[in-house]
Amino acid sequence: MRHGARGGSAQRKEAMRHLARILGLIVRYHRRQLLLGYLAVFGAASASLAIPRVLSTGIDRALDPSNRDSGVDALIALGAVLILLGMTRGLFQWGQTWAAEGLSQKVAYRIRNNYYDRLQHLSFAFHDKQATGSLMSRATADVEGVRMFVNMGAVRSAFIIVMIIGSGVAMLLIDVQVALLTLVFIPFLAFRAALTSRLLRRMWRRVQELTGDMEGALQESLTGIRVVKAFAAEEHEKAKFHSRSLAVAEQTYLAESTWARNFAIMNFGFMLAMAAILWYGGQQVVNGRVIIDGQTVYTGMTPGELAAFFVYMNMMIMPVRMIGWTVNNFSRAASSGQRLFDILDAVSPVRDLPGASDVDRVRGHVRFSGVSFAYDGFNEALRGVDLDAPAGSRIALVGRPGSGKTTFAHLVPRFYDATQGQITIDGRDVREFTLTSLRRNVGVVQQDVFIHTASIRDNIAYGNVAADDETITNAAKAAQLHDFIAGLADEYDTVVGERGVGLSGGQKQRLSIARTLLHDAPVLVFDDSTASVDVHTERLIQEALDVVTAGRTTFLISNRFNVIAQADRILVFKDGEIVQRGTHSELVAVPGEYRELYESQMRPFEEARRAAQAAAEGRAPAESGQEAG
């Protein structure tokens, strides 16, 4: 029990910390609008609380026989005051809505932008562990939860508090006994709201987690829709999404029904309070009425005061009813704030270190010294890698899938940081560069090409938006893409669909190459960039790259030996280590991993070529093979 109590206390403190942080954000950046909102709140509450007193005076004057001559004029004057108070209340309520809604939108805008900016600066290691749907849910549902808290919690909850306190004090001033009899229900309702708050906070956090799972399933299905269609897996995807959607619906229903039950209990409590006013207050009016010298005198409550009591209690119904809604709102905001601040407070393992400087163009001398790396901190993907790549050299990285060659390439632009060892460019540790300047000097063509929903021109110029048309065209020509673009109706203004819909795999790859060439970095990394092109296109790209990579340090990840063979040096990876290094002629001449890879890939082509040659010469393939041997 003690452990549970401590756990509940810790959760409450955590929730209050998140809410306080949101309020701190408001006070820091939007103090003026918050003050205007509170001014409107107090103005609207003051006008509202004055109405029952004016109404009480009007009723008593109307019922007083001695005021029959002047009663009509008095009632007209009181009616005018009520109209004026109503207009004043309406004006302040409009100001309250304007301030609260404007403030909530500004805070949501700031948090949403900060959240997105933070995601942009978190490393690959962070994104590797996060589901896209969950991150999207935070940017939508959780930001909306915070916005509603700012609107209804930070501003309008003040109206609720003022109305409850103001109505209670006004009733005490009219009649202490009736007021105490009525207000005795308020502590019970407040206690009920506190219990509901704890329960609803956990429920809404679970709703948000399930919503993230549901949006993740939706995002995966839409991203991989071609795979879904290819394998006729529509029913499977529908069932998977429906199950997650059902979980969200059930958990939301449970949270809403819990809030509704609390609302009903509070409503019933108010009905009891109204009955108490009618019973006890009505007795005071009836029993306290006496006739003195032909005039009616009330020794207890007057009819006007009883009516004012009812109006005050009616005014209190709405704010106290909203306590349940506000508790729900606060609970949801606490959960949303926690999920958002988890990201906003996340520390990227790859970031600009203190003292990092912005570096202009480097020469491109890359050195690895005893570099090891583990994605999870334990199982090493690279072990003890050493390399000295002079500026302008072309290094080919070869190995079976999972051997570590892509991991090696990702360490150069600091997509990840080495867990051991040092990587330098021109003798300077890459961690001494700012990330922006480092990646300005290292161009990457990744195997998985991402194309934005934009024009071809904008896609090529991504990362260098200031590039002029001539520069963009030259980059497209170097990537052997210009002739294709020129054949389109809108040429460079042609808009490609999401993920490059409308482009073939080779065309997307060439567009990515053009984008990297436009980046004009002295160090280039090509991650199997010719894997999705045909032999003819590969030859054209290779010819262009021979010109473009001249004078640049280039790392080529490829399993095509006609590309690999032209490298100045070849690194052969196996199980995270470099097991061989040398030129193509050196490596193919000795037994080892490289020759095994070469023979497994090239032997079928050689045999096919020999068979075709033998057939053309009218000889048996075996004879051709023997001769070749």
Side-chain angles (χ1 to χ4, degrees), residues 118 120-126 345-357 413-418 429-436 438-439:
R118 190 65 189 144
Q120 297 301 307
H121 290 92
L122 289 170
S123 67
F124 277 30
F126 170 85
D345 295 339
V347 177
S348 176
V350 178
R351 60 188 184 277
D352 286 339
L353 300 182
S357 58
R414 284 190 72 198
F415 292 158
Y416 302 92
D417 268 341
D429 194 312
V430 292
R431 287 169 292 193
E432 297 177 4
F433 293 66
T434 61
L435 286 173
T436 300
L438 174 63
R439 292 169 185 172

Side-chain angles (χ1 to χ4, degrees), residues 6-332:
R6 286 197 299 269
S9 176
Q11 290 179 354
R12 286 193 296 273
K13 289 181 180 179
E14 187 73 7
M16 292 304 297
R17 186 175 70 84
H18 294 312
L19 294 180
R21 187 169 174 181
I22 297 171
L23 291 173
L25 185 68
I26 299 171
V27 172
R28 181 178 180 183
Y29 294 105
H30 309 288
R31 185 184 301 111
R32 180 180 178 183
Q33 189 155 359
L34 181 64
L35 292 176
L36 289 174
Y38 284 146
L39 177 63
V41 163
F42 286 111
S46 299
S48 297
L49 292 171
I51 290 175
R53 296 299 298 177
V54 174
L55 185 63
S56 172
T57 302
I59 291 174
D60 288 340
R61 287 188 179 183
L63 295 178
D64 188 351
S66 63
N67 291 334
R68 291 192 176 184
D69 294 335
S70 61
V72 175
D73 294 337
L75 289 176
I76 292 174
L78 289 172
V81 173
L82 285 175
I83 292 173
L84 181 61
L85 286 173
M87 292 175 62
T88 303
R89 181 178 65 177
L91 181 63
F92 278 116
Q93 284 179 334
W94 173 82
Q96 172 186 312
T97 301
W98 170 82
E101 186 63 32
L103 182 62
S104 69
Q105 292 294 346
K106 289 179 179 179
V107 172
Y109 173 80
R110 181 177 295 276
I111 290 179
R112 188 184 297 113
N113 285 352
N114 289 344
Y115 174 80
Y116 183 79
D117 293 348
R118 190 65 189 144
L119 288 180
Q120 297 301 307
H121 290 92
L122 289 170
S123 67
F124 277 30
F126 170 85
H127 288 283
D128 289 343
K129 300 175 182 178
Q130 297 292 327
T132 302
S134 178
L135 295 177
M136 293 174 62
S137 175
R138 284 175 166 90
T140 53
D142 290 328
V143 171
E144 179 63 15
V146 171
R147 190 194 70 81
M148 290 299 294
F149 163 72
V150 174
N151 190 330
M152 303 302 298
V155 178
R156 300 193 188 191
S157 61
F159 180 77
I160 296 173
I161 294 171
V162 172
M163 289 301 295
I164 292 175
I165 294 176
S167 297
V169 170
M171 288 189 287
L172 287 170
L173 293 175
I174 293 174
D175 191 289
V176 174
Q177 291 180 336
V178 179
L180 292 176
L181 180 63
T182 304
L183 298 176
V184 72
F185 295 97
I186 300 301
F188 165 75
L189 297 175
F191 177 72
R192 178 74 192 178
L195 290 179
T196 306
S197 172
R198 296 178 58 187
L199 183 60
L200 283 173
R201 184 163 54 85
R202 292 193 296 269
M203 288 182 171
W204 279 117
R205 180 167 179 81
R206 183 58 181 159
V207 167
Q208 288 151 341
E209 290 172 350
L210 292 173
T211 301
D213 292 341
M214 180 186 69
E215 292 183 354
L218 177 62
Q219 185 265 339
E220 288 179 0
S221 177
L222 294 178
T223 302
I225 192 65
R226 285 171 172 73
V227 177
V228 174
K229 295 291 185 183
F231 288 89
E234 291 89 347
E235 295 303 320
H236 169 74
E237 290 297 325
K238 284 162 60 178
K240 183 171 68 173
F241 182 79
H242 288 174
S243 65
R244 298 189 183 186
S245 178
L246 178 62
V248 173
E250 289 177 343
Q251 187 66 24
T252 304
Y253 172 78
L254 183 61
E256 293 289 359
S257 61
T258 300
W259 172 78
R261 182 169 61 251
N262 182 66
F263 182 86
I265 292 172
M266 295 177 68
N267 201 23
F268 178 71
F270 268 106
M271 291 303 100
L272 292 178
M274 297 287 272
I277 293 174
L278 183 61
W279 170 68
Y280 193 76
Q283 288 188 54
Q284 287 203 24
V285 172
V286 173
N287 297 333
R289 183 177 59 181
V290 295
I291 306 298
I292 300 177
D293 296 332
Q295 294 185 358
T296 302
V297 178
Y298 294 93
T299 59
M301 293 180 67
T302 67
E305 290 173 335
L306 180 61
F309 236 101
F310 274 105
V311 176
Y312 278 126
M313 180 53 64
N314 190 60
M315 284 183 172
M316 192 178 285
I317 288 175
M318 185 274 292
V320 175
R321 277 180 177 175
M322 288 185 67
I323 288 178
W325 190 91
T326 303
V327 167
N328 186 18
N329 180 269
F330 275 47
S331 300
R332 186 171 186 177

Side-chain angles (χ1 to χ4, degrees), residues 414-455:
R414 284 190 72 198
F415 292 158
Y416 302 92
D417 268 341
T419 49
Q420 290 183 9
Q422 185 183 49
I423 304 170
T424 63
I425 298 180
D426 295 349
R428 187 170 182 177
D429 194 312
V430 292
R431 287 169 292 193
E432 297 177 4
F433 293 66
T434 61
L435 286 173
T436 300
S437 64
L438 174 63
R439 292 169 185 172
R440 191 169 58 235
N441 281 284
V442 181
V444 181
V445 178
Q446 297 179 342
Q447 186 176 18
D448 184 15
V449 180
F450 184 84
I451 305 297
H452 297 267
T453 303
S455 68

